[in-house]
Amino acid sequence: CTLFTGYGCVITVTVTVMLYNIYDKDPALKGQYDTVLLLDVIEHIDDDADFLKTALFYLKEGGKVFFFAWLLS
């Protein structure tokens, strides 16, 4: 806890957001990320299994992939 207020701790987090074509598979980026966020993307991908496999290329060991997709009936 870096600062305690009457309501709880204030925690400072640094986030770097990078946008690029996931299929480029830049070797310099392999295993570089703790988290991959896929927001409103997966429902537009034809081969979602291959896409998710490609996302894993960028993760550090133990990293997480989070995705959000609208589910329509």
Side-chain angles (χ1 to χ4, degrees), residues 6 12 19-20 40 42-43 51 61-62 66 68 71:
T12 304
L19 302 172
Y20 51 87
D40 296 326
I42 202 74
E43 67 270 25
F51 184 79
E61 188 170 330
F66 294 96
F68 175 83
L71 299 177

Side-chain angles (χ1 to χ4, degrees), residues 9-57:
C9 291
V10 175
I11 299 172
T12 304
V13 177
T14 301
V15 175
T16 302
V17 176
M18 297 182 68
L19 302 172
Y20 51 87
N21 184 339
I22 194 169
Y23 288 112
D24 286 346
K25 282 192 162 181
D26 182 346
L29 299 176
K30 182 177 183 177
Q32 295 297 308
Y33 297 98
D34 300 311
T35 306
V36 172
L37 297 174
L38 304 170
L39 306 174
D40 296 326
V41 172
I42 202 74
E43 67 270 25
H44 301 286
I45 305 299
D46 292 328
D47 187 351
D48 52 355
D50 182 56
F51 184 79
L52 289 172
K53 182 179 172 186
T54 302
L56 296 176
F57 169 86

